[in-house]
Amino acid sequence: MELWFTEKQTPEFGITAKIRETLVTEKTEYQDLALIDTEEFGRMLVLDGMVMTTVKDEFVYHEMAAHPALVTHPDPKQVLVVGGGDGGVIREVIKHPQVEKAVLVEIDGKVIACSKQYLPEIAGQLDHPRVDVQVGDGYMHIIQSKDKYDVIIVDSTEPVGPAAPLFERGFYQGIHEALKEDGIFVAQTDNPWFKADLIQKVNRDVKDIFPIVRVYGANIPTYPSGLWTFTMGSKKYDPLEVEEASVPELDTRYYTPRLHRAAFVLPRFVEDLVK
């Protein structure tokens, strides 16, 4: 008998993957958590029925969430990751030697524990000496932090459940206050095929707060539509002014010095969303 997992990305559309083995199914304090081993994408972390990451394609999201902002900022010493309990963004952050401390604030400790056990290739740097892992509310951490971070990366789920406040204008205002005077933040902002309204709203809100706002994209096959966007807000530094020669050669599989600026070249229908 074959077993398949299907994520309904809209009420009328979804993706499906053949399951080799179910490793974890648990209802945590915050969400339904599952860890399944799939034939095509390997081990897959699923929260509330949505694919969060897979062993096969995780590097795209995690590299693109971290490196564009960290390369744009000339000296990112203090970095905050909100969410991201799987540890993938943290793994990428500490590839930058300038980073003295990377703080991870994840609301659901079960995600961290499950990732450490079943996704070691993703979560393997959560115990790094430059990493401070905190189980708590990222929204409150932001509100309680003032002029503290050089770079803030919001690695949230889609805007439902505990992640919903992370897409509100007040949260972006809090991020602005938590950043130093030349700080940068980046957040995943879903896909333009099914969530065009969300991208437009986030873009408007961030533009009201930050003088420099840029949207960039990446191809992530297990995320809705495969075309994923990130929104960057910067107080001072423009990612489009980064010279290719100044981008360090990092141990990456997707992000490269040439890709840095290319990622900000959007299809016209996405450009139209963020004008």
Side-chain angles (χ1 to χ4, degrees):
M1 182 178 68
E2 293 185 350
L3 293 176
W4 293 72
F5 164 74
T6 298
E7 176 187 345
K8 291 185 177 179
Q9 298 180 344
T10 77
E12 295 82 24
F13 176 79
I15 62 166
T16 188
K18 187 178 179 182
I19 297 175
R20 181 184 293 120
E21 183 181 5
T22 300
L23 301 169
V24 177
T25 56
E26 180 178 359
K27 188 171 185 62
T28 76
E29 182 181 354
Y30 298 98
Q31 55 207 335
D32 290 321
L33 182 155
L35 202 297
I36 55 180
D37 190 9
T38 69
E39 295 283 356
E40 185 64 41
F41 285 93
R43 292 181 304 283
M44 176 184 288
L45 176 65
V46 179
L47 298 178
D48 285 337
M50 298 176 289
V51 177
M52 294 295 105
T53 194
T54 81
V55 170
K56 185 174 182 177
D57 70 351
E58 57 86 11
F59 65 93
V60 182
Y61 175 85
H62 294 133
E63 290 177 15
M64 293 304 287
H67 298 310
L70 290 167
V71 165
T72 299
H73 195 291
D75 194 22
K77 287 186 170 69
Q78 302 292 321
V79 177
L80 171 66
V81 178
V82 177
D86 57 60
V89 172
I90 283 289
R91 181 195 65 202
E92 299 304 314
V93 168
I94 63 169
K95 290 178 181 179
H96 293 259
Q98 312 99 304
V99 175
E100 296 175 353
K101 186 175 183 180
V103 178
L104 173 76
V105 182
E106 162 64 53
I107 197 169
D108 195 339
K110 296 286 188 177
V111 173
I112 298 171
C114 183
S115 299
K116 283 185 173 182
Q117 182 173 357
Y118 294 102
L119 301 170
E121 55 275 90
I122 302 175
Q125 297 296 334
L126 287 175
D127 295 322
H128 192 280
R130 285 188 285 146
V131 174
D132 175 15
V133 176
Q134 301 179 18
V135 177
D137 187 332
Y139 188 99
M140 292 307 300
H141 184 92
I142 288 288
I143 299 304
Q144 294 165 2
S145 301
K146 303 297 180 187
D147 191 31
K148 185 174 182 179
Y149 293 106
D150 299 301
V151 174
I152 295 175
I153 302 167
V154 183
D155 180 9
S156 66
T157 64
E158 294 183 47
V160 295
L166 306 186
F167 290 83
E168 296 176 355
R169 189 187 187 283
F171 181 57
Y172 303 130
Q173 183 63 50
I175 287 175
H176 187 276
E177 295 171 10
L179 287 168
K180 296 179 183 178
E181 62 181 3
D182 61 349
I184 299 174
F185 102 98
V186 63
Q188 72 85 6
T189 44
D190 222 292
N191 78 93
W193 291 103
F194 308 141
K195 296 289 182 66
D197 290 348
L198 174 69
I199 293 172
Q200 287 182 311
K201 177 186 179 302
V202 170
N203 193 255
R204 286 195 303 268
D205 289 346
V206 177
K207 281 180 175 177
D208 284 344
I209 300 167
F210 286 84
I212 300 169
V213 180
R214 304 293 185 195
V215 177
Y216 62 97
N219 173 250
I220 308 171
T222 53
Y223 284 7
S225 85
L227 176 59
W228 210 248
T229 70
F230 301 82
T231 298
M232 184 186 297
S234 177
K235 291 185 175 182
K236 183 176 180 180
Y237 307 111
D238 190 339
L240 297 184
E241 294 179 357
V242 173
E243 296 292 335
E244 183 181 323
S246 71
V247 178
E249 283 289 352
L250 300 162
D251 178 19
T252 58
R253 297 173 61 197
Y254 190 92
Y255 179 85
T256 67
R258 291 184 65 192
L259 183 70
H260 177 87
R261 290 191 66 176
F264 292 87
V265 179
L266 302 172
R268 180 167 290 169
F269 82 103
V270 184
E271 276 189 332
D272 291 341
L273 292 177
V274 298
K275 282 181 177 177

